[in-house]
Amino acid sequence: MTDDAYLFLLDDPSATLGVAPAAVGDLACMETPAVRAWLDAQGSTPVSPQLRLLPPEETAAIPEGAERLPVPLGDEELSRVRHLNAPQSLARVEEELLAFRDCADGRDGLIARALTAGVAPHRIVELTGVDPATVTAATSG
């Protein structure tokens, strides 16, 4: 696993792997000389339907031979990429986890539902701000 997200180009623009950078909104990396030069070298643009982005933990899914470029993302940018990359059922639970930051009612049930839905424990901690030990306790209970 790498610490960088990856921009990559798919041969088939109808493929659903990753997210379109344009769908994520403003990304600081898209304005860097390295990304601009890479896009120029690929004959691509920031809004190309073949251009996709994956968070660090998903980069193993990039097809072998696909043109790719590691890009650093800020915490907020990475959170948006992860949210858009998640399946819809996960995205709904993640939205609840984000809303959870302001309340504590039903915490254990929500964490259990998120774990059952497949949200990774580190992601639950990131979205809710709860102590990692709380999530760990929920995984064993």
Side-chain angles (χ1 to χ4, degrees), residues 15-115:
T16 59
L17 180 63
V19 298
V24 179
D26 290 334
L27 295 169
C29 68
M30 297 303 288
E31 300 302 322
T32 64
V35 169
R36 293 272 184 206
W38 183 78
L39 288 170
D40 287 344
Q42 305 307 320
S44 189
T45 67
V47 295
S48 169
Q50 288 90 2
L51 185 63
R52 309 301 282 176
L53 180 64
L54 276 174
E57 65 275 7
E58 300 292 329
T59 57
I62 298 172
E64 194 169 320
E67 294 294 334
R68 63 183 83 198
L69 178 71
V71 293
L73 298 178
D75 291 341
E76 175 61 29
E77 293 171 331
L78 188 54
S79 181
R80 292 191 322 249
V81 169
R82 285 178 174 144
H83 182 73
L84 289 170
N85 192 57
Q88 286 302 313
S89 61
L90 245 91
R92 278 192 295 278
V93 172
E94 284 190 353
E95 285 174 9
E96 287 183 55
L97 287 167
L98 279 170
F100 170 76
R101 286 183 181 209
D102 297 328
C103 71
D105 292 337
R107 175 191 74 188
D108 295 340
L110 178 57
I111 291 173
R113 273 201 345 253
L115 291 167

Side-chain angles (χ1 to χ4, degrees), residues 4-29:
D4 288 327
Y6 270 80
L7 282 174
F8 63 100
L9 291 171
L10 286 176
D11 292 334
D12 180 5
S14 68
T16 59
L17 180 63
V19 298
V24 179
D26 290 334
L27 295 169
C29 68

